Structures are given as structure tokens and as C-alpha cells.
Amino acid sequence: MSDVLFLILRRMRAPLIVLITLYAVAVFGLAITPGIRADGTREYMSLFHAFYVVSYTATTIGFGEIPNAFSDAQRIWMILTIHLTVIGWTYTLGSIFALVSDITFRTAVARSMFTWRVRHVGAKFFIICGYGQSSAQIARALDRLGYRIVTIEQRPERAAKLVIEDISQPLIALCADARFPDVLRDAGIHRAECAGLLAMTSRDDVNQTIAIGARTLRSDLQIIARVKDATAQQNLLALGGIQVVNPFETFATNLALDLDAPDVLRLEEWLTDSPDAHCPNRLGIPAGPWVIVGFGRFGRAIARVLDARHIPWRAVDHRGGAALDDEQHQLVVDDDTDRALGGADIAHAAVVVAGTDNDAANLAITTLARRVSPKIYVVIRQNHVADSVLIHAARANMRFVQADIMVHECLQLIKVPLLATFLRRVAVEGSHAAAAVIESIQRSLGRGAPRVWTFHCDVMQPGMFAAFFQSGGCPLQLSLLQLDPFVADESLACLPLMLARGSDLVLLPATDTTLMPGDRILFVGDERAERLQRRYMRDVTAVEYARSGVEPPRTWLFRVLRARRERVAQSRRQAGSDRGN
Amino acid sequence: MNLEKVIFGFFIILACTLNFGFFIGDIDEPALHHPMELGAAVAVNLIATVLKFGDRTHLGATHLATSLVASLQLVAAAVFWMVHVYGQGLPMDGPSVSTVVSLSGGALLANFISITLLIGETLRQGR
């Protein structure tokens, strides 16, 4: 707001001074110009009357000669006054209109409105820097989860479109460069309602700057950055506290999992998919040489995976610059794709990757490859969300959609942060552990409903405080969290996948594990189990009821009465046993 | 020499001197307080106020505050005069003119502070 006021004051200074001066000259001039009364005597107009006359004359209202008919001298002065003040008003009004249409002024107004809306948002929100295909999908998903979205987009034409974005709560958008810390500050990064920041612009260096800036401004915030370059990724990971999503690397990692440990990938896809999806089947990539068309960052990421597993591959690219680091002459550089595919020996390849950054070209490559070898396994890359129909028509065996991977990864990080840790841990343990997890989930929960959530033994929650500190030293066991908090002896449809205690991780923890304050447990189960389990955090009496099956008294008076009754009962029992002896 | 400083100083000092000129003289003697001088003081004070717009420093803010006080007091004095003479049609007598003059006296104090700030700023610059 102060920017707007400052600009107005600055710009209006000259016009206002001109106007005041003209009024002063006109009023004083009129007051010292002699007038003639009807009886012929001289009379001077008072300052009050002069100001009155100038006021209506300057604004060209013109009531006439009030209070008395003017003398000729006064008329001469009025002619001057009219012309001068009209010029003054024109200048002032012109300055006001110029100011209102001025781009600096409008930017300042837009900025202060944005700041005001962020300050009064009144709900948890995410800051998304850069609004492209993936950001739009993430924004819609977060909107469904009940978060507000604050977007900062640098390109004015993109920013102008944000107002028509079809989501339930309007976006709070600003057209600015998020690399500047004051922009992030105005976007509410310091506010308690700010749940996280996503740096999703199309440029790595911009995302890197935003993420580092945000991390410096607020160290406890969840920050997710989209990065496609390995160096930038290492920089950000070295800084710590920033989660990096690299779509090419993610796809390559998935590919590597599928080649090495297909069950780990199955588990990952199953748990991160939408609720009530079935456990997916193995992809079944055939063994044999690969042909990678399009040897950019995507092609190289795949080539690295293949190299690590000693799978032979050839690459095709129409740009010669890609050949620089080609030691084994695996790269064919040719403008004619058909000839290049022949050069890469497509006839004997088992898998073709259509991975250029042009969707039409990828379709053409698929067709050409199938003409030579109809049974070939096709991995296709889709660059634009709008081309989804085209890419579906190609009926490829595996699709790489950058926006989908971004959305998937980011939502996973936002919704259940512990799940990413769990999946990484399972990947380390290998396919065997993953198969065991899948089997135990299917055995206890059936095939559907892979809903995943985290239970946090947070002693700031009233229920957990009571369970740990007001239970008289009775330990809290993990099996208790699997009981229904309303109906004694009924169990909930859920299974603990992992226990995180500090930096220690326990896969599939035993149900008789004693919980400690601060433990986080990753559960899989159905929606009802998640909802009911939350009672243990919020409800002070839930844990005690689940332990004993008796609803404990909630008020002080009844607690005192119960303690008294227990004492009486105990002394009676004692008396009875004494008599028995 | 900086022309902006000349204009700035000119208006601030003129605002104070005109104010002083109107204020000086027996407080309840209408003949010693000319309405023209009050009008001039109002006009020059308004210009001085506008001149101080848009300075973001702390000193600038204090400057603007003093001018706003002075303008407010002088405009109040002028409005009182106007309502008394033209609104109610009464002659300017001793008690009424003393109200106007005391209001302008308050404005004079604000103008003194303004000048003190101006001098302080000038001395601190040292060049």
C-alpha cells in the first residue's frame, strides 16, 4: 500500500503545486481589484467572496457576477483567471489519468492488492512459482485437498490467463519474478498459513535461485524444486532441506527399478496411485538391445540406466552437438530419421524409445520402428498435455509424460512425506522386501484400497499427551492404534508399514512395539481407518478407552469420584483378603 | 547550489514568516490582523505541504507532519473567520479575532519546528 501512496504523492506534487499557486494568485488578484458599487463608491471583494467566485469559475461552472455586478477591472482579472485555472485543471486531471494508466502505478496497485489478499487468505496455502502444465495440474490437486494457491508467474501473458483458471477457490496470482526475496515475502512465505513452496518454472537456474532464496527466508518450510540438470540437483541437495524432483531422473529410476526389481516399482505405483486401484502387473520389458531416438537429457538418463546394467544400446539424434561425449560410437547423427533408424540397427532391437521433444516426431518414430519390426516394445515421450490423444493412439507399451511425473512426485512429497522415505528404503532392500510388503498388504487388507497416511505421536496433540504423560506409566503399544476408538475389541482395517523414530527406520514393525513420543508410523489401509485413527490424537479419552474398554470420566468432579471409588474398592478387597487369611 | 533546495527552503521559510506576520500584534485587536495575510499564509503553507510529499526518509516524514499540523491550524483559523463574518454575519470583535490568532499561533509553532528541522538537516549535510 505504501508503494501506491508514495507514487501518487510523488507524481501529483507538481500538478497540485501549480493548482494551489493558480488559485492563490486568482483569489488574491480578485480581492485587490477594485469594484464599483451601484452608488459609485469603490469596494473591494473580501477573500471569502473572491475564493467563492474563483471556485466556480475555475471549474467552469460559472454562476455569473456574484455578489454584485463586477467592475471592468474585475472582469479583466476574471478573463485571466478563467484561462489560467482551466489550464491548471487540465494539467492536474491529465496527470491523474496518466498516473492511473501508468504501468509502474498499475504494477504497484496489483502488487499491493496481491499482498492484501495473501494477508487475508485465512487458510493453508501453497506458493507455486511458474504456472505451466504441471503446475496447473498440481494446483488443481492441491485445491481439491483444500489448500489455497498463491502463484507467481513471470510471463505477463501466462499471468493474465490465471484469472480464468477453473478451480474452486480463486488463485491469488502475481506477475513478478519470484527470484527476488521481496516477491516471496509478499507472497506470504513468512506466514504461518504457508504450507510449502514449489519452484516449477521451466528454467533450472530460476528454480534453483527461488528454492535457495525460500530456504534462506524460512528454513522450516517444505520446498520442492523442479530441476532437470544434474549439477543444479546436486547443488540443491547439498544445501539440504530442499526436495528436488527431476522428471527425467525419476523416469530413469523407475525404469531401473523395473529392470532390476519389478516388485519395488509395483509397490511404489500401487501405493502412490489413486485410492482403490489394483496392484499393477509387472511391465515386462523384453531383454535385448535398445534404440534411443532423441539423445538429449531424457535419452541420456535412460542410456545411463542401460549402461549400468550392461544392456547394449544405440542412440539416434539429428543434432551433431550431442556426439561430443560419444566414446563407443553408439550415436548415429542423421537428419533423415528413417535412414538413422536403419543405421542404429532397429531390425534387431528389442526396445525403441521415441524420446524427442516433439510429439509428432515421436509418433512418426513409433510408426517407422513398427514398420521394420512390428513386435518392438515402444517407450514414448509425450511433451504436451494437449497431445495426450495422439500419444494414446500410438498404443505404446510405456509412456513418459513429464507433467504427470511431476504431479505424481510432488503430490507424493506433499501428501505423505514419509511414503517417499519408505519407498526409498524398500528400493534399497530390493525386490524381495517389496514382494513381502505387497503380500502382507494383500493378506490383511485385500487387493484394493491402498490408502497411505502418517500417524504422528505428537505430544502437542491432546490425545497423545494424555497417552504418554497422564496414563500412569502404562506403555502405548502399536497394536492399540489398530483398534477402533469407539467400539471396544473391533479392529481397524489398517497395517503399519514403517516406524520412523528419529533417523531409525523399521520396515513392517511388530505390533507389540512400544511407541515413544515423536514416533511417526506410516499406515496403509482404508479411508475409515484413517479417519477413526485420528481420534487417538485429538480425543483425550480415546487411548484409555481402547486400553480398558471403559469410557473414562472427562470432568474433574467425576475423576475425583472415580479415584475415591477405586480406593474404597481396593481397601475392601484388601480387607476381604485379610479376613480370608 | 541546488535549485530544489532553494525552492524548498523558500516556501518553508515564507510559510513561517507570513504566519508570524499575521500572528504578531495584540491578540484581541482586529485591526492588527489582516485577513489577506492569513489567506497568504494558508496558500503558502499548502504549497509547502505538497512540496514535502513523497520523501521516504524519517526526516521527510517529520517534515510532512509539521506542515500538515500548520496547514490544519491555519485552515481552521480561516474557516472560523469565514463562518463568523459571512456565515453568521457578525463583526470581527476582540474575542473572535483572538481565537483566530491563537490558532495561527499554534501553526506558527509547527512552522518553527519545520524550520528547525530544515536548519538541522542543512547543518548535518556539511557541504
Side-chain angles (χ1 to χ4, degrees):
Chain A
M1 197 59 221
S2 71
D3 269 350
V4 178
L5 194 69
F6 178 71
L7 259 171
I8 294 176
L9 293 181
R10 256 278 152 84
R11 294 288 181 82
M12 294 312 292
R13 207 153 61 159
L16 284 180
I17 288 176
V18 167
L19 205 62
I20 294 173
T21 315
L22 286 178
Y23 263 71
V25 169
V27 171
F28 284 108
L30 194 57
I32 59 173
T33 313
I36 296 171
R37 235 184 265 175
D39 56 5
T41 53
R42 269 196 174 195
E43 182 212 40
Y44 291 94
M45 205 181 268
S46 70
L47 272 186
F48 167 69
H49 283 129
F51 183 62
Y52 173 57
V53 172
V54 169
S55 295
Y56 67 65
T57 319
T59 48
T60 66
I61 296 168
F63 284 146
E65 301 183 347
I66 299 173
N68 304 313
F70 288 176
S71 69
D72 285 347
Q74 282 175 321
R75 285 185 184 143
I76 292 169
W77 185 253
M78 283 317 293
I79 292 171
L80 214 73
T81 301
I82 289 167
H83 287 96
L84 281 178
T85 49
V86 164
I87 293 169
W89 270 114
T90 315
Y91 174 49
T92 308
L93 290 177
S95 302
I96 292 173
F97 290 131
L99 178 65
V100 169
S101 57
D102 184 71
I103 190 76
T104 325
F105 180 74
R106 296 173 78 142
T107 314
V109 170
R111 180 73 170 271
S112 56
M113 276 179 67
F114 171 78
T115 314
W116 190 88
R117 289 179 66 191
V118 169
R119 202 173 299 152
H120 296 86
V121 63
K124 287 263 178 195
F125 64 89
F126 272 90
I127 304 173
I128 301 183
C129 307
Y131 205 78
Q133 298 174 353
S134 355
S135 321
Q137 286 191 40
I138 293 174
R140 263 176 239 129
L142 290 176
D143 180 59
R144 275 197 297 275
L145 289 173
Y147 291 105
R148 289 295 299 266
I149 311 292
V150 173
T151 50
I152 306 168
E153 168 60 54
Q154 204 176 352
R155 287 160 297 184
E157 70 278 3
R158 270 270 171 82
K161 275 190 200 160
L162 291 178
V163 285
I164 55 169
E165 197 58 59
D166 176 31
I167 62 174
S168 66
Q169 294 264 38
L171 291 170
I172 303 175
L174 178 70
C175 180
D177 190 342
R179 279 176 289 183
F180 295 113
D182 59 322
V183 174
L184 290 180
R185 198 196 55 219
D186 281 355
I189 193 163
H190 289 302
R191 302 195 66 79
E193 296 99 325
C194 183
L197 177 136
L198 292 98
M200 304 286 284
T201 69
S202 50
R203 280 173 48 197
D204 273 8
D205 58 331
V206 176
N207 288 341
Q208 200 179 330
T209 318
I210 294 172
I212 293 173
R215 173 98 179 98
T216 320
L217 284 174
R218 194 167 153 196
S219 52
D220 62 330
L221 196 69
Q222 181 174 32
I223 299 163
I224 300 173
R226 167 163 88 174
V227 159
K228 293 177 187 167
D229 180 61
T231 330
Q233 187 171 358
Q234 277 162 10
N235 286 349
L236 289 181
L237 289 176
L239 191 68
I242 297 173
Q243 290 162 320
V244 178
V245 178
N246 180 337
F248 300 134
E249 285 295 327
T250 307
F251 185 75
T253 312
N254 285 355
L255 198 64
L257 283 177
D258 199 57
L259 292 167
D260 300 343
D263 285 325
V264 178
L265 183 65
R266 274 173 72 206
L267 180 66
E268 178 176 338
E269 300 251 305
W270 190 31
L271 292 184
T272 58
D273 213 337
S274 59
D276 52 72
H278 283 282
C279 185
N281 295 319
R282 297 181 186 194
L283 289 169
I285 299 174
W290 288 48
V291 173
I292 303 168
V293 188
F295 201 58
R297 284 175 300 203
F298 177 63
R300 271 161 224 257
I302 293 178
R304 270 198 299 279
V305 170
L306 297 178
D307 272 340
R309 282 153 193 85
H310 308 292
I311 297 171
W313 57 273
R314 306 290 295 269
V316 174
D317 203 295
H318 64 87
R319 278 167 304 191
L324 285 174
D325 53 346
D326 178 32
E327 292 124 20
Q328 286 128 30
H329 305 288
Q330 290 165 305
L331 182 65
V332 183
V333 178
D334 202 328
D335 270 343
D336 183 345
T337 315
D338 204 0
R339 199 167 57 211
L341 284 174
D345 201 14
I346 189 84
H348 295 99
V351 180
V352 64
V353 180
T356 71
D357 52 10
N358 181 331
D359 288 337
N362 289 344
L363 276 180
I365 291 158
T366 312
T367 316
L368 286 173
R370 280 193 178 136
R371 197 184 298 157
V372 179
S373 118
K375 294 262 170 201
I376 199 160
Y377 190 93
V378 177
V379 179
I380 197 166
R381 170 176 171 184
Q382 177 188 330
N383 296 284
H384 293 283
V385 171
D387 289 338
S388 159
V389 180
L390 283 181
I391 301 294
H392 265 292
R395 283 178 285 110
N397 305 70
M398 196 194 291
R399 286 195 306 143
F400 165 75
V401 189
Q402 197 185 313
D404 285 357
I405 288 193
M406 285 306 301
V407 175
H408 205 252
E409 288 286 303
C410 290
L411 287 181
Q412 188 184 316
L413 289 174
I414 291 168
K415 280 160 78 179
V416 195
L418 206 54
L419 181 59
T421 318
F422 169 71
L423 291 172
R424 232 175 293 138
R425 180 62 191 266
V426 171
V428 171
E429 303 258 325
S431 202
H432 190 68
V437 173
I438 292 180
E439 208 217 304
S440 65
I441 295 175
Q442 288 186 339
R443 196 177 52 227
S444 53
L445 298 170
R447 291 191 62 84
R451 195 184 174 89
V452 182
W453 70 90
T454 306
F455 186 90
H456 188 189
C457 298
D458 178 6
V459 289
M460 298 308 282
Q461 299 279 353
M464 284 295 107
F465 184 81
F468 283 111
F469 301 124
Q470 298 178 332
S471 64
C474 189
L476 178 65
Q477 287 197 335
L478 183 55
S479 56
L480 190 116
L481 296 179
Q482 291 175 276
L483 294 177
D484 192 319
F486 290 125
V487 188
D489 305 328
E490 285 277 318
S491 60
L492 296 173
C494 65
L495 183 76
L497 285 181
M498 186 175 69
L499 172 72
R501 179 174 295 166
S503 56
D504 292 343
L505 302 176
V506 183
L507 284 187
L508 294 175
T511 49
D512 59 352
T513 311
T514 303
L515 295 176
M516 312 261 284
D519 281 358
R520 285 174 305 153
I521 307 114
L522 186 70
F523 273 99
V524 62
D526 62 13
E527 188 267 333
R528 181 174 169 273
E530 181 189 357
R531 188 161 37 85
L532 289 175
Q533 201 184 55
R534 274 187 209 291
R535 284 269 150 200
Y536 288 119
M537 286 196 221
R538 296 203 199 111
D539 204 334
V540 186
T541 56
V543 169
E544 203 173 330
Y545 174 75
R547 267 185 192 138
S548 63
V550 178
E551 182 71 26
R554 276 165 196 264
T555 54
W556 170 82
L557 181 67
F558 281 85
R559 270 201 297 276
V560 169
L561 285 177
R562 185 176 75 154
R564 201 189 152 96
R565 209 166 50 229
E566 272 172 8
R567 258 203 316 279
V568 170
Q570 202 178 1
S571 58
R572 250 188 223 146
R573 263 202 308 278
Q574 216 159 16
S577 62
D578 285 349
R579 213 174 298 136
N581 288 343
Chain B
M1 197 181 82
N2 187 338
L3 187 65
E4 192 193 336
K5 296 280 176 224
V6 175
I7 295 173
F8 193 68
F10 171 80
F11 274 103
I12 289 176
I13 294 172
L14 186 65
C16 187
T17 50
L18 282 171
N19 198 170
F20 183 72
F22 177 77
F23 175 73
I24 198 84
D26 284 344
I27 198 166
D28 55 351
E29 181 52 70
L32 298 180
H33 304 281
H34 200 277
M36 280 290 204
E37 196 156 21
L38 179 62
V42 170
V44 173
N45 262 287
L46 284 178
I47 292 177
T49 310
V50 176
L51 272 176
K52 291 167 178 177
F53 278 178
D55 186 348
R56 282 192 147 179
T57 60
H58 183 79
L59 197 71
T62 320
H63 251 311
L64 183 60
T66 57
S67 264
L68 283 174
V69 170
S71 300
L72 188 75
Q73 293 237 0
L74 286 173
V75 168
V79 168
F80 178 83
W81 191 307
M82 195 175 81
V83 171
H84 185 77
V85 175
Y86 303 101
Q88 303 181 319
L90 301 170
M92 208 60 196
D93 52 3
S96 313
V97 85
S98 64
T99 308
V100 174
V101 173
S102 70
L103 276 169
S104 80
L108 184 64
L109 189 61
N111 270 320
F112 273 141
I113 296 171
S114 191
I115 287 188
T116 316
L117 287 176
L118 184 73
I119 294 170
E121 196 186 359
T122 316
L123 290 178
R124 205 181 53 172
Q125 291 262 321
R127 64 186 154 86

